[in-house]
């Protein structure tokens, strides 16, 4: 499993940055079933083989408009 941060969302594609390498990922169906929507800035774990987001880490904070998570001043 790789850890990274969502840097862009385009329709059903989630672009995750893992230390300089950006992966084009998809979301597991369980998140949709549970009503969980990932935001840009969310820290996630992805499966290297099928580029699927497996886990979304707990958010520190978030903004609803625009959908951004884990915002800080650095």
């Amino acid at each position: 499993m790789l850890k990274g941060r969502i840097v862009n969302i385009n329709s059903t594609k989630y672009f995750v940055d893992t230390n300089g390498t950006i992966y084009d990922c998809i979301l597991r169906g369980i998140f949709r079933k549970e009503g969980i929507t990932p935001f840009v800035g969310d820290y996630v774990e992805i499966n290297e083989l099928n580029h699927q987001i497996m886990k979304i880490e707990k958010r520190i904070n978030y903004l609803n408009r625009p959908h951004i998570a884990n915002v800080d001043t650095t």
Side-chain angles (χ1 to χ4, degrees):
M1 297 281 189
L2 288 174
K3 290 189 177 192
R5 191 173 194 175
I6 297 175
V7 293
N8 189 3
I9 300 174
N10 187 358
S11 186
T12 60
K13 293 184 180 186
Y14 297 85
F15 297 91
V16 179
D17 182 9
T18 59
N19 294 328
T21 304
I22 297 182
Y23 290 91
D24 180 4
C25 299
I26 58 172
L27 191 63
R28 289 184 64 200
I30 191 77
F31 295 115
R32 270 190 221 109
K33 184 177 179 182
E34 293 178 359
I36 299 171
T37 304
F39 290 175
V40 170
D42 276 339
Y43 293 101
V44 296
E45 286 185 15
I46 63 170
N47 185 333
E48 290 179 74
L49 301 175
N50 59 9
H51 296 207
Q52 201 173 41
I53 295 175
M54 304 302 285
K55 180 180 177 185
I56 301 172
E57 300 291 332
K58 185 176 176 183
R59 292 180 182 137
I60 298 169
N61 55 32
Y62 67 95
L63 299 172
N64 258 342
R65 295 229 180 242
H67 293 301
I68 319 173
N70 302 317
V71 180
D72 61 7
T73 58
T74 58

